[in-house]
Amino acid sequence: MDEKKIFDIAIIGAGPAGSLLTMLLANQGHDILLIDKRNLDGYPPVRHKACGGLLAPDAQRVLASLNLNLPNDVLANPQLFSVHTVDLNTGLRRDYQRFYLNMDREKFDRYLSSKIPENVCKEYSAVVNKVEYENDLYTIHTGTGKTYNSKVLIGCDGAGSVVRKCFFTKEKMPFKHYYAIQHVYKCDDAGAKYYAIFDKTLTDYSGWAFPKDGTFTIGMAFPDGADGNRLFAQLIEKMKNDGLSIGQAVNKEGSLLLRPDGYPKTFSKNNNTLFLAGEAAGYVSPSSAEGFSFAFYSACALAKSFEKGGNISKNYRHETRKMRIKLFFKVIKAHLLYNQFIRKIIMVCKIKAIR
Ligand SMILES: Cc1cc2nc3c(=O)[nH]c(=O)nc-3n(C[C@H](O)[C@H](O)[C@H](O)COP(=O)(O)OP(=O)(O)OC[C@H]3O[C@@H](n4cnc5c(N)ncnc54)[C@H](O)[C@@H]3O)c2cc1C
């Protein structure tokens, strides 16, 4: 590719937000460069994104509305399940029905990437380490030593967004930083449960455990600065004492996770030429860490904002208003749900539990 070429739009990150946004903007006729550090078109994948891979009904609805039909091989075993919620401090446990699709996250991202129109220039296996803005032009520097130029820059690069770090350092962030640790075990038990785990002595967030295609994953998110590895070891001990039978971990992974803690805002700058979408902007549920639906909503909102033209930043604020209000309600819900007393009442009264 000609490194001197100037793209209309450069999108950093080909996760759910970046891939969907690329599809929508390419269909509007923009000349797009999509960069990701993962190798989403080839094998082996160089990096793996730690994730539960559960597609919530809201996210399913967006895909369905865009005729993005999920193929079978993206789905994982099992499909229909309840979530066993356990409070390790009070010993309370309840089962709740959920309507997630259980997916292989890597295959899901590859599927979305495969739907990107041919005329998009994809640069995969390229880590963006710096972006500069000068003379109305963005210069993107990658770890391979290559640089790229574009008139518009969109950061869809997830929780640890380089774009956010380069351009929004002085802004107050309406979210907190967490670190999620996941250990993957071999598991042949077809009846293994899905868990949502609460333990306020370990974290003010939550843990999870789930079977997927012959494996069993246990994870928990810890606040920035906590001794996650020590606390995670305690979680494993507690889960074993709770009756969970697991052997040696076959894989250990971790990921930054943002948790909204205020009214979510839109990130835009430089006269309608710089935007953040998806988790890079903190759009992820603070109660369940569900992020696909918010990645999709924000991608659709930004694509629509470009389509409208004029003041794109203003359009983006308008188009994301409903989503941001929804997220704000989830912030309030999270404060209630993570209050042990209120959770105890909900669980004792079996509100919404399977009876
Ligand atoms: C442990 C864990 C479990 C989760 N489970 C679920 C779940 O089950 N269901 C759900 O809905 N949500 C879940 N989430 C949240 C969900 O993963 C995110 O909200 C969602 O992936 C956000 O999509 P995105 O496209 O905005 O960002 P991401 O999916 O994070 O994608 C960002 C992309 O940018 C690329 N990138 C990042 N930095 C660079 C760089 N410097 N250079 C080049 N490329 C870069 C990455 O490789 C990646 O492809 C989970 C999160 C965590 C941490």
Side-chain angles (χ1 to χ4, degrees):
M1 195 213 335
D2 177 10
E3 280 187 58
K4 294 216 172 77
K5 177 173 175 175
I6 297 173
F7 289 90
D8 291 343
I9 302 174
I11 297 176
I12 317 293
S19 286
L20 186 62
L21 183 60
T22 303
M23 278 178 232
L24 299 172
L25 288 177
N27 288 337
Q28 289 174 21
H30 300 284
D31 181 22
I32 298 180
L33 167 71
L34 174 65
I35 306 182
D36 201 290
K37 61 186 175 190
R38 291 188 291 162
N39 179 16
L40 287 162
D41 275 350
Y43 280 92
V46 278
R47 290 155 200 266
H48 174 78
K49 158 92 185 157
C51 185
L54 298 180
L55 192 72
D58 284 347
Q60 294 171 31
R61 213 165 292 130
V62 178
L63 293 184
S65 73
L66 295 167
N67 284 326
L68 286 166
N69 303 335
L70 273 193
N72 240 337
D73 71 333
V74 169
L75 301 179
N77 254 331
Q79 278 302 322
L80 183 63
F81 48 86
S82 61
V83 176
H84 185 68
T85 300
V86 50
D87 186 326
L88 292 173
N89 305 127
T90 60
L92 277 169
R93 51 188 71 236
R94 293 283 177 263
D95 291 306
Y96 298 91
Q97 189 166 6
R98 291 287 179 265
F99 299 95
Y100 298 118
L101 286 179
N102 186 14
M103 306 185 301
D104 179 315
R105 169 70 201 257
E106 197 68 32
K107 288 184 182 166
F108 180 55
D109 285 3
R110 284 171 184 277
Y111 163 72
L112 291 176
S113 172
S114 75
K115 293 287 170 187
I116 292 171
E118 296 270 301
N119 59 343
V120 169
C121 179
K122 291 181 192 169
E123 281 295 300
Y124 285 165
S125 307
V127 181
V128 173
N129 41 37
K130 196 170 83 178
V131 189
E132 292 168 313
Y133 182 60
E134 215 179 279
N135 301 330
D136 297 336
L137 213 60
Y138 292 92
T139 305
I140 301 156
H141 301 266
T142 64
T144 55
K146 288 186 181 169
T147 56
Y148 305 94
N149 295 303
S150 69
K151 294 179 221 161
V152 170
L153 178 73
I154 305 177
C156 294
D157 45 349
S161 172
V162 169
V163 179
R164 194 180 66 236
K165 284 178 195 155
C166 287
F167 294 101
F168 297 97
T169 41
K170 291 190 183 130
E171 313 232 350
K172 193 174 178 303
M173 299 296 160
F175 46 75
K176 292 189 206 162
H177 290 78
Y178 282 73
Y179 195 75
I181 298 177
Q182 286 198 154
H183 285 190
V184 184
Y185 303 83
K186 273 204 167 141
C187 166
D188 300 321
D189 179 6
K193 283 180 180 166
Y194 273 74
Y195 284 84
I197 306 158
F198 294 94
D199 187 324
K200 68 172 184 177
T201 65
L202 300 179
T203 180
D204 62 356
Y205 210 169
S206 61
W208 52 86
F210 54 85
K212 197 185 288 277
D213 283 344
T215 62
F216 189 76
T217 300
I218 303 182
M220 187 167 255
F222 302 98
D224 198 21
D227 185 354
N229 285 324
R230 184 180 57 81
L231 294 167
F232 191 81
Q234 288 181 19
L235 168 71
I236 297 296
E237 275 315 301
K238 287 187 177 205
M239 291 301 285
K240 282 181 178 168
N241 292 339
D242 195 60
L244 199 66
S245 164
I246 42 171
Q248 278 293 105
V250 291
N251 193 18
K252 299 179 179 181
E253 47 196 29
S255 176
L256 201 62
L257 175 65
L258 301 183
R259 190 180 193 193
D261 188 35
Y263 188 67
K265 60 191 229 174
T266 50
F267 290 83
S268 60
K269 231 179 180 173
N270 299 347
N271 201 17
N272 291 318
T273 62
L274 174 65
F275 305 91
L276 296 182
E279 200 177 335
Y283 302 148
V284 55
S285 166
S287 50
S288 66
E290 190 278 316
F292 295 146
S293 66
F294 297 104
F296 292 154
Y297 286 148
S298 54
C300 291
L302 190 50
K304 201 165 174 196
S305 307
F306 271 89
E307 198 173 15
K308 276 186 179 171
N311 188 338
I312 300 168
S313 307
K314 193 175 161 202
N315 298 345
Y316 192 35
R317 272 196 302 280
H318 175 76
E319 293 296 334
T320 52
R321 187 162 295 140
K322 261 193 195 162
M323 178 199 78
R324 289 183 291 122
I325 290 172
K326 184 175 176 179
L327 258 180
F328 185 59
F329 276 112
K330 284 191 181 284
V331 171
I332 297 168
K333 180 182 161 192
H335 279 287
L336 297 176
L337 200 69
Y338 284 86
N339 176 301
Q340 200 180 42
F341 178 68
I342 295 174
R343 189 170 60 243
K344 192 172 173 182
I345 293 175
I346 294 172
M347 291 179 82
V348 167
C349 297
K350 299 185 180 171
I351 296 169
K352 292 202 166 177
I354 297 173
R355 286 161 191 259

